[in-house]
Amino acid sequence: MLFRKLSMNKKIMMLTFFIIVFSFLIAGTFVIGSLLKEKEENIGQEAMLVARTVANLPEIKTLLQSNDFKFASSTINEMVEEIRFINQADYIVIMDTNRVKYSHPSIKEIGEVSKSSDMDAAFVEHYYLSKANGENGTTIRAFVPIMDEYNNQVGVALVGFLLPSPLQIFTDYQSEILITIAISVLFSMWGAHTLGRHIKKQMFGLEPHEISKMYVERTETFNSMHEGIIAVDKDLNITIFNKKASEILGVEGEPSYYLGKNIYEVLPDTRLPEIVLTGKPVYDQEIYVNERSILSNRIPILVNGNKVGAVAVFKDLTAFKQLAEELTGVKAFVQALRVQTHEYKNKLHTISGLIHLGHIKQALEYLSQVQDEHDNVTKFLNERIYNENISGLLLSKISRGKELGIKVNLDKESKFTKFPDKLDHHDFVVLFGNLIENAFDSLIGVNRQDKEITISIDDNDGILAILVSDNGIGMTEDIQSRIFESGFSTKENEGRGIGLYLVNEIVQKGNGTIEVSSEVNKGTTFIITFEF
């Protein structure tokens, strides 16, 4: 609990301290072990050297063959003890071939027979080292056979050196070890403090728990948004992928699973890489991702003027299209019903007047004419236009034109049998609705007796061609160059300037072409072509 309350600098310093202590403990274990091994080798060499030296002394060889044991042992022990003292050996034992001891640091052992089993090889002329554990610690022992002048073995020289303990090794190098530890700790703490300050600066002075809290809050904020959000870094690895994005694009699994993966592995057609490459934003563009139509805003992420990635914010166009259809279609249907109500009321007044005047025949003829006219239009639309949404829209626009004093001519050869790839009735409701409404706008303020809009739909030989033409006010070349820009309009009404932009987006989505020809005060013609 106390550790959690410490600042980042203090935490780093404490962790560094513990790491240093642990590192020194591990390193010290290896170092002392290595020193012990080296010490053991040196002691073994020294023991063997002393044993060889003693075994080669002529006096010892001669005394071992003497019949006077007391004199021989006394003399040998005196000589050996002097050598032992000079070489600081723990013991030097001289034995004859019967294993009787002629020298030993303990006087009581002289004359005794050695019963140690690890010296058998020495009595058959072998030179070797062995290690033995005693009361005072571990001893390195060198065994060297003693040979007379005729190369016959007359005894064995045994030299033992006590191995130093790890504590003794540490004591021997105490000053060097302490100085090394002090310098290392000093520089490590300074480095930890500097590193902590640098890390904290990089993290804007925030503590780890604050960053963790911000990360969780950011993730939940993105997941609660109604728009889909995907972000990538400069290497095109996904850094943000919220739940709405996975729902809209139909990507299965937890969004967090895709973090860190390359965008091409998850969604190869997001067009985010081109934003990272060019650094130019794209707003309100309809694109197909994972076979789904979305309205996307793609923006580069800049930090201190450098591109570090890109983010896409998008929404499902299904709801958007429904709204557009409502604005351009359903609204038009309601308006058409109002127009038809007004139109039929006038016709009923005409028929009523004729009947009151006694012109029954003329009333019947007028009624038949009205019925034929309506039946002809309805029959034509039902037979030639195979989608009721578009049929209803065109019928409403014809009625709307009558109310405005504008004749809407629908080419009698028109035919519409199927939709181009990637487009549906929502797209064509938006397309026809905006083109015809645009034509109405161009004719409303025109002082002309014959106001006409011509609509032609040609569906033949794998090509769908749509023509919408009017004899309205027309456009200048400057206006023509900007009509497909989002928000551009020659009208001052708020919310204008989106219709033709949407039309152009639909044409691009269907891989079609759009041509505009216009002349001021003569009219405008739009020709849109799709290939199946």
Side-chain angles (χ1 to χ4, degrees):
M1 190 69 181
L2 178 63
F3 184 76
R4 292 182 180 178
K5 294 181 179 179
L6 295 175
S7 66
M8 184 186 300
N9 283 351
K10 292 181 179 179
K11 287 179 181 178
I12 291 176
M13 292 180 70
M14 289 181 64
L15 287 172
T16 303
F17 177 76
F18 286 122
I19 290 171
I20 291 171
V21 171
F22 183 74
S23 299
F24 270 114
L25 181 63
I26 299 299
T29 302
F30 282 104
V31 169
I32 292 176
S34 177
L35 287 173
L36 282 171
K37 185 176 181 181
E38 184 179 352
K39 196 75 173 177
E40 182 179 332
E41 291 177 356
N42 292 336
I43 289 174
Q45 292 176 2
E46 187 177 359
M48 182 60 71
L49 178 62
V50 173
R52 284 178 179 272
T53 301
V54 172
N56 288 323
L57 289 173
E59 295 87 348
I60 292 179
K61 294 179 180 180
T62 302
L63 291 169
L64 283 175
Q65 300 177 64
S66 171
N67 295 324
D68 189 351
F69 175 80
K70 185 176 181 180
F71 172 75
S73 62
S74 175
T75 305
I76 290 174
N77 192 61
E78 185 177 346
M79 292 173 58
V80 167
E81 281 299 303
E82 185 177 351
I83 295 172
R84 184 178 73 82
F85 180 77
I86 293 172
N87 290 278
Q88 297 182 351
D90 287 283
Y91 55 82
I92 300 177
V93 178
I94 303 298
M95 294 172 286
D96 61 13
T97 53
N98 295 318
R99 303 194 180 190
V100 177
K101 300 175 184 177
Y102 279 71
S103 70
H104 199 281
S106 175
I107 301 298
K108 295 179 181 181
E109 291 290 327
I110 296 175
E112 297 293 325
V113 177
S114 177
K115 297 180 180 179
S116 180
S117 59
D118 64 342
M119 61 177 63
D120 294 344
F123 285 95
V124 289
E125 303 181 12
H126 284 282
Y127 298 73
Y128 61 94
L129 295 170
S130 73
K131 189 186 296 185
N133 295 319
E135 295 180 359
N136 297 325
T138 303
T139 305
I140 299 296
R141 302 192 300 176
F143 293 89
V144 174
I146 301 173
M147 312 297 291
D148 64 9
E149 56 202 33
Y150 301 107
N151 205 28
N152 296 316
Q153 186 172 359
V154 295
V156 171
L158 169 61
V159 177
F161 281 86
L162 191 64
L163 276 177
S165 65
L167 181 60
Q168 288 175 317
I169 294 287
F170 178 81
T171 303
D172 292 342
Y173 294 93
Q174 181 178 355
S175 299
E176 292 86 347
I177 292 174
L178 292 177
I179 291 172
T180 302
I181 290 175
I183 293 174
S184 299
V185 169
L186 180 64
F187 278 97
S188 297
M189 298 307 288
W190 172 79
H193 179 70
T194 304
L195 177 62
R197 289 179 60 188
H198 176 71
I199 292 175
K200 193 162 185 178
K201 183 179 178 182
Q202 294 293 315
M203 296 191 298
F204 304 99
L206 297 173
E207 295 292 334
H209 69 275
E210 294 175 319
I211 295 174
S212 176
K213 180 182 177 184
M214 287 179 61
Y215 177 79
V216 172
E217 290 177 350
R218 186 199 72 159
T219 301
E220 293 307 315
T221 298
F222 285 138
N223 286 334
S224 65
M225 295 181 70
H226 190 63
E227 289 79 17
I229 300 176
I230 300 177
V232 297
D233 59 20
K234 62 181 180 181
D235 297 320
L236 304 182
N237 296 320
I238 298 174
T239 56
I240 299 173
F241 194 66
N242 71 343
K243 290 181 180 179
K244 194 64 179 180
S246 64
E247 292 174 7
I248 293 175
L249 300 177
V251 178
E252 298 181 354
E254 271 302 311
S256 58
Y257 170 76
Y258 300 101
L259 297 179
K261 293 185 178 294
N262 193 279
I263 189 67
Y264 284 116
E265 297 177 13
V266 183
L267 296 163
D269 47 2
T270 60
R271 301 192 190 176
L272 268 176
E274 69 186 45
I275 304 301
V276 176
L277 181 65
T278 63
K280 296 180 180 179
V282 176
Y283 298 101
D284 297 325
Q285 185 181 52
E286 183 180 356
I287 61 174
Y288 264 77
V289 179
N290 207 17
E291 299 184 354
R292 294 171 184 262
S293 178
I294 64 173
L295 186 66
S296 171
N297 292 292
R298 303 186 302 284
I299 308 162
I301 302 174
L302 303 177
V303 176
N304 297 325
N306 299 318
K307 289 182 294 184
V308 297
V311 60
V313 181
F314 53 90
K315 61 176 65 178
D316 191 349
L317 268 184
T318 303
F320 182 78
K321 286 181 178 180
Q322 290 174 348
L323 178 60
E325 183 178 356
E326 180 181 350
L327 293 175
T328 58
V330 176
K331 183 178 178 182
F333 296 157
V334 174
Q335 192 176 40
L337 288 174
R338 183 179 59 82
V339 172
Q340 287 182 354
T341 301
H342 182 72
E343 181 181 355
Y344 288 138
K345 186 184 292 185
N346 290 334
K347 290 175 180 178
L348 286 174
H349 288 162
T350 301
I351 294 169
S352 177
L354 288 171
I355 292 174
H356 280 297
L357 292 173
H359 302 301
I360 305 299
K361 183 178 179 182
Q362 288 85 344
L364 291 173
E365 290 176 354
Y366 179 73
L367 181 61
S368 177
Q369 179 185 350
V370 170
Q371 184 178 357
D372 289 343
E373 183 180 340
H374 180 270
D375 289 345
N376 289 337
V377 173
T378 303
K379 182 180 179 182
F380 173 81
L381 291 173
N382 287 333
E383 290 179 352
R384 308 288 290 186
I385 308 298
Y386 295 122
N387 184 273
E388 60 276 7
N389 296 279
I390 299 175
S391 297
L393 176 67
L394 293 174
L395 181 60
S396 71
K397 296 303 181 184
I398 293 172
S399 300
R400 168 70 171 160
K402 289 180 180 179
E403 183 185 44
L404 297 174
I406 300 171
K407 186 177 181 182
V408 178
N409 299 312
L410 185 58
D411 185 5
K412 300 303 180 183
E413 299 299 322
S414 293
K415 183 176 68 171
F416 192 171
T417 61
K418 64 179 180 178
F419 297 109
D421 292 340
K422 299 182 180 180
L423 301 181
D424 55 22
H425 72 274
H426 297 291
D427 296 307
F428 277 90
V429 165
V430 173
L431 188 147
F432 280 114
N434 281 292
L435 287 178
I436 298 172
E437 282 297 323
N438 219 55
F440 283 152
D441 289 340
S442 70
L443 286 164
I444 288 175
V446 175
N447 186 14
R448 181 176 294 153
Q449 185 174 1
D450 297 325
K451 300 179 181 181
E452 294 185 356
I453 296 175
T454 301
I455 303 171
S456 176
I457 308 171
D458 185 12
D459 182 355
N460 195 14
D461 295 332
I463 295 177
L464 174 63
I466 298 169
L467 177 143
V468 178
S469 179
D470 65 72
N471 60 349
I473 59 175
M475 294 181 288
T476 63
E477 292 184 2
D478 181 58
I479 293 176
Q480 286 185 57
S481 66
R482 300 188 60 193
I483 57 174
F484 297 121
E485 294 179 12
S486 178
F488 174 76
S489 176
T490 57
K491 309 295 188 299
E492 296 182 356
N493 299 32
E494 185 179 354
R496 303 299 291 261
I498 193 68
L500 290 179
Y501 169 78
L502 292 177
V503 169
N504 188 48
E505 288 290 301
I506 292 169
V507 172
Q508 289 184 7
K509 183 174 69 170
N511 296 321
T513 60
I514 183 168
E515 299 178 14
V516 184
S517 60
S518 183
E519 191 173 344
V520 177
N521 295 325
K522 288 192 177 181
T524 302
T525 300
F526 287 87
I527 300 176
I528 297 173
T529 306
F530 298 101
E531 292 185 7
F532 296 106

